[in-house]
């Protein structure tokens, strides 16, 4: 056990350190983690023997749950609405067409049976959300015509279709007696119902339940994501579809303190991606890749240059998409972790195959990330699809939670210098903007001629303070024998370079004034510069 913990700790530290280094490389950073896994693997210098497909499938599934949930959570439906129809068609019909075209190629070129060929095509038919998100964000790749939103929604929502096709074909090949229509109905119905129901209940509880525990909302949403996958799966539904829809629903509703959720899941999904790609690199045996290398190259070339482009063309042409958008969308069909997880599922079900499907799909995914991922910025530039004035982060919901703008409130009293001033005449620091005035239960959007009255509550937007390295905050509890007890702040002597910035009293935050008297139990927050 200690050896395993030591390995996990070392690997995660190396992954984190390499992550910063990988940002400056011209190749997708996910390749670094695959290479690291192979370095530790059986044919690498470390030589760890690991071939447990069952453990790998369980770990990858758990990681994929959070990747799928966060992919939905970060999807901005407002930004994606103009391309929502295209995205849904690509993530459903597009997967079916890609699986069919690729399966037909495999059958006639590699000589495999129809069922085996279509199974391989189904496993690799979906594009990978983690890979697409990683490249769009790391390369700051803003694309014209809402193409980034198109790829975001498609790659985040097409895994469930590929998963359903894989399950059906596994059952058919292994001779399991099933009703295909009933199985598809259960997958879709319980997947949709579970995602909407669990997501809606989660939103209601988040908005109306008082979480006493610090970070209680974050832990609650973590549990909601697990439930959204597990419950529909137990009922025969598609857990990936459910957890993705649950993420979309929760991400596009107002949730208090959403920025803490964003930071938490951003970290979780980052670690999940590292773990998955490292684990897959550790699981593969490079010495056994020889027999599948040529078939993998042939499938990859067809999929990249024919199967995916033809599917995209047939779907986007009726929408009158430009050839440039069709070209970028076709090239952006990166294969990734979902395909490998589905291939492990095939291996665990002892499906008779000519080739080791895990090794075959691993090679296809590796080449897809290396070639398509590396060349995606170049292809986008050549097709003149890069929006130089855009920001790819605007297509993600968490953009609104990571901007450097804070909202503050200012209470106006009778003797304040702002009282009875017109807003255009009020002296306000540069960078401070009054965006709303709350007056007698009314909300006023002000302009320069709006008069500020006593008892108004001004809501102002201001840039967030970033230089936290030079600012330290300290807490001081007022106890029965504390020398500041029952004294007003103006009578307290504090060292130079210190300022009392906050008083926490019975769960309420108080901005201090000189006349405020300190009470027993108060928590004094002092800033030291």
């Amino acid at each position: 056990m200690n050896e395993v913990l030591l390995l996990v700790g070392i690997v995660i530290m190396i992954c984190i350190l390499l992550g910063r280094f990988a940002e400056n490389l011209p190749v997708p950073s996910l390749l670094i983690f695959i290479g690291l896994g192979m370095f530790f693997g059986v044919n690498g210098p470390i030589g760890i023997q690991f071939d447990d497909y069952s453990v790998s499938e369980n770990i990858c599934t758990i990681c994929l749950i959070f990747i799928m949930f966060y992919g939905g959570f970060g999807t901005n439906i407002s930004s994606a609405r103009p391309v929502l129809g295209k995205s849904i068609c690509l993530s459903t019909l597009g997967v079916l067409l890609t699986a069919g075209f690729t399966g037909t190629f495999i059958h006639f070129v590699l000589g495999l049976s129809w069922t085996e060929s279509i199974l391989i095509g189904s496993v690799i038919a979906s594009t990978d959300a983690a890979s697409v998100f990683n490249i769009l964000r790391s390369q700051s790749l803003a694309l014209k015509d809402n193409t980034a939103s198109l790829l975001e929604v498609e790659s985040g929502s097409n895994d469930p279709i590929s998963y359903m096709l894989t399950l059906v074909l596994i059952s058919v090949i292994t001779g399991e007696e099933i009703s295909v229509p009933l199985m598809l109905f259960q997958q879709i119905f319980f997947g949709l119902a579970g995602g909407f129901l669990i997501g809606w209940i989660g939103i209601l509880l988040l908005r109306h339940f008082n979480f006493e525990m610090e970070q209680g909302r974050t832990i609650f949403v973590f549990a909601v994501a697990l439930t959204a996958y597990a419950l529909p799966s137990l009922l025969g539904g598609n857990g990936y579809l459910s957890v993705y829809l649950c993420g979309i629903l929760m991400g596009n509703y107002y949730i208090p303190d959403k920025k803490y959720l964003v930071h938490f899941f951003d970290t979780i999904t980052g670690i999940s991606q590292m773990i998955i790609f490292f684990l897959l690199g550790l699981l593969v045996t490079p010495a056994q890749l020889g027999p599948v290398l040529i078939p993998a190259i042939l499938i990859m070339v067809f999929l990249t240059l024919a199967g995916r482009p033809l599917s995209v063309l047939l779907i986007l042409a009726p929408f009158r998409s430009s050839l440039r958008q069709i070209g970028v969308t076709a090239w952006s069909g990166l294969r990734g972790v979902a395909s490998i997880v589905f291939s492990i599922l095939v291996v665990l079900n002892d499906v008779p195959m000519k080739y080791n499907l895990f090794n075959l799909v691993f090679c296809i995914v590796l080449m897809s990330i290396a070639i398509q991922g590396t060349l995606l910025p170049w292809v986008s530039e050549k097709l003149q699809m890069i929006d130089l004035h855009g920001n790819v982060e605007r297509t993600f919901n968490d953009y609104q939670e990571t901007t450097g703008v804070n909202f503050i409130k200012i209470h106006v009293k009778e003797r304040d210098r702002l009282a009875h001033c017109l807003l255009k005449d009020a002296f306000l620091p540069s960078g401070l903007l009054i965006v709303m005035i709350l007056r007698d239960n009314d909300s006023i959007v002000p302009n320069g001629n709006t008069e500020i009255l006593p008892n108004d509550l001004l809501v102002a937007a201001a840039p967030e303070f970033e230089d936290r390295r030079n600012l330290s905050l300290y807490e001081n509890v007022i106890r029965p024998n504390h020398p500041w007890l029952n004294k007003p702040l103006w009578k307290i002597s504090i060292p130079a370079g210190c300022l009392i910035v906050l008083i926490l009293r019975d769960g309420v935050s108080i901005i201090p004034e000189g006349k405020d008297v300190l009470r027993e139990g108060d928590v004094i927050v002092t800033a030291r510069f």
Side-chain angles (χ1 to χ4, degrees):
M1 181 62 179
N2 290 332
E3 290 82 358
V4 174
L5 292 177
L6 177 62
L7 174 64
V8 171
I10 292 175
V11 168
I12 291 179
M13 285 191 292
I14 294 176
C15 286
I16 294 297
L17 295 175
L18 286 178
R20 185 64 179 270
F21 168 74
E23 291 178 357
N24 300 318
L25 297 179
V27 299
S29 60
L30 299 177
L31 288 177
I32 304 296
F33 306 131
I34 292 179
L36 184 63
M38 297 173 72
F39 177 85
F40 277 84
V42 62
N43 291 144
I46 306 299
I48 297 176
Q49 294 186 355
F50 179 76
D51 58 358
D52 195 325
Y53 285 96
S54 180
V55 170
S56 300
E57 197 265 342
N58 290 332
I59 294 176
C60 289
T61 297
I62 294 173
C63 293
L64 198 56
I65 289 172
F66 297 111
I67 292 174
M68 292 287 292
F69 176 82
Y70 192 51
F73 193 86
T75 299
N76 191 322
I77 293 298
S78 297
S79 298
R81 187 171 288 113
V83 293
L84 202 55
K86 298 179 183 180
S87 302
I88 294 175
C89 289
L90 283 172
S91 64
T92 53
L93 182 58
V95 172
L96 296 174
L97 289 175
T98 302
F101 291 146
T102 307
T104 301
F105 171 82
I106 294 171
H107 173 71
F108 286 108
V109 175
L110 299 181
L112 303 184
S113 67
W114 274 110
T115 51
E116 188 175 347
S117 300
I118 298 298
L119 175 59
I120 296 174
S122 300
V123 167
I124 60 175
S126 67
T127 58
D128 185 63
S131 302
V132 173
F133 295 169
N134 178 269
I135 292 173
L136 289 178
R137 286 180 160 179
S138 64
Q139 300 295 323
S140 298
L141 207 58
L143 302 175
K144 297 178 181 178
D145 303 328
N146 290 314
T147 306
S149 293
L150 173 69
L151 297 174
E152 175 195 355
V153 177
E154 183 217 359
S155 61
S157 60
N158 60 13
D159 289 337
I161 305 299
S162 179
Y163 177 68
M164 284 191 290
L165 289 175
T166 302
L167 288 183
V168 169
L169 287 163
I170 288 175
S171 301
V172 171
I173 295 176
T174 56
E176 183 181 347
E177 294 185 2
I178 62 166
S179 170
V180 174
L182 178 60
M183 184 177 185
L184 291 176
F185 173 79
Q186 288 179 322
Q187 284 278 309
I188 296 173
F189 175 78
F190 288 114
L192 291 173
F196 282 116
L197 183 61
I198 296 172
W200 184 251
I201 293 174
I203 291 170
L204 290 178
L205 292 175
L206 283 170
R207 295 181 66 175
H208 298 100
F209 185 79
N210 184 19
F211 291 85
E212 297 292 341
M213 182 173 56
E214 188 176 2
Q215 301 300 333
R217 286 190 177 91
T218 302
I219 299 172
F220 178 78
V221 175
F222 178 88
V224 167
L226 293 176
T227 305
Y229 173 84
L231 182 58
S233 298
L234 288 174
L235 299 175
N238 193 313
Y240 294 114
L241 176 61
S242 174
V243 75
Y244 179 72
L245 289 177
C246 179
I248 288 180
L249 195 64
M250 299 187 75
N252 284 274
Y253 272 84
Y254 169 74
I255 298 176
D257 299 324
K258 183 185 286 186
K259 63 181 179 180
Y260 298 115
L261 296 175
V262 169
H263 296 158
F264 174 78
F265 280 100
D266 201 39
T267 302
I268 289 292
T269 52
I271 294 175
S272 296
Q273 290 179 25
M274 294 178 189
I275 291 174
I276 288 178
F277 283 95
F278 171 80
L279 187 63
L280 297 177
L282 184 66
L283 183 62
V284 74
T285 303
Q288 298 177 358
L289 297 180
V292 302
L293 192 57
I294 298 301
I297 293 175
L298 292 174
I299 295 173
M300 170 60 188
V301 171
F302 174 83
L303 186 61
T304 305
L305 301 182
R308 165 76 175 179
L310 184 57
S311 301
V312 172
L313 177 63
L314 290 175
I315 292 172
L316 295 188
F319 287 96
R320 298 184 179 181
S321 295
S322 66
L323 289 177
R324 293 175 178 176
Q325 185 180 54
I326 292 174
V328 169
T329 303
W331 189 263
S332 302
L334 278 72
R335 313 300 128 173
V337 62
S339 296
I340 299 181
V341 172
F342 300 158
S343 72
I344 294 176
L345 186 63
V346 174
V347 173
L348 290 175
N349 280 274
D350 296 322
V351 178
M353 304 283 291
K354 179 178 179 180
Y355 301 107
N356 182 301
L357 189 58
F358 171 77
N359 290 339
L360 180 69
V361 174
F362 179 87
C363 290
I364 294 172
V365 169
L366 195 63
M367 288 185 289
S368 177
I369 295 176
I371 299 173
Q372 291 178 270
T374 301
L375 295 179
L376 180 56
W378 181 82
V379 171
S380 302
E381 182 180 1
K382 289 299 180 181
L383 292 176
Q384 299 179 359
M385 281 295 291
I386 296 180
D387 186 357
L388 299 177
H389 302 290
N391 189 331
V392 69
E393 294 290 344
R394 293 183 185 271
T395 68
F396 298 99
N397 261 338
D398 54 340
Y399 177 82
Q400 61 188 332
E401 302 297 336
T402 56
T403 53
V405 175
N406 283 336
F407 292 97
I408 59 176
K409 59 184 180 181
I410 303 172
H411 290 277
V412 180
K413 299 180 181 180
E414 180 63 43
R415 296 183 180 180
D416 287 348
R417 58 181 176 81
L418 292 176
H420 302 292
C421 282
L422 295 181
L423 191 57
K424 63 182 180 181
D425 298 327
F427 176 76
L428 296 173
S430 176
L432 189 70
L433 176 67
I434 305 300
V435 296
M436 185 170 64
I437 298 177
L438 300 179
R439 177 183 299 164
D440 299 329
N441 298 321
D442 290 332
S443 299
I444 301 172
V445 178
N447 56 42
N449 292 318
T450 302
E451 183 181 3
I452 302 173
L453 301 179
N455 299 318
D456 279 354
L457 176 63
L458 309 182
V459 179
E464 182 180 10
F465 178 67
E466 295 293 343
D467 188 21
R468 295 182 177 88
R469 293 173 297 177
N470 298 319
L471 172 65
S472 300
L473 298 178
Y474 298 89
E475 291 185 355
N476 193 354
V477 181
I478 304 299
R479 304 194 183 280
N481 57 348
H482 198 285
W484 294 355
L485 180 63
N486 296 326
K487 288 186 178 181
L489 290 179
W490 68 270
K491 286 188 176 182
I492 295 174
S493 176
I494 59 175
C498 296
L499 177 67
I500 296 177
V501 297
L502 187 67
I503 301 174
L504 298 177
R505 177 177 297 163
D506 298 327
V508 177
S509 299
I510 301 173
I511 301 299
E513 297 182 4
K515 63 181 181 180
D516 289 330
V517 177
L518 298 181
R519 304 175 185 175
E520 183 179 344
D522 284 352
V523 178
I524 309 303
V525 181
T526 305
R528 296 183 184 179
F529 302 92

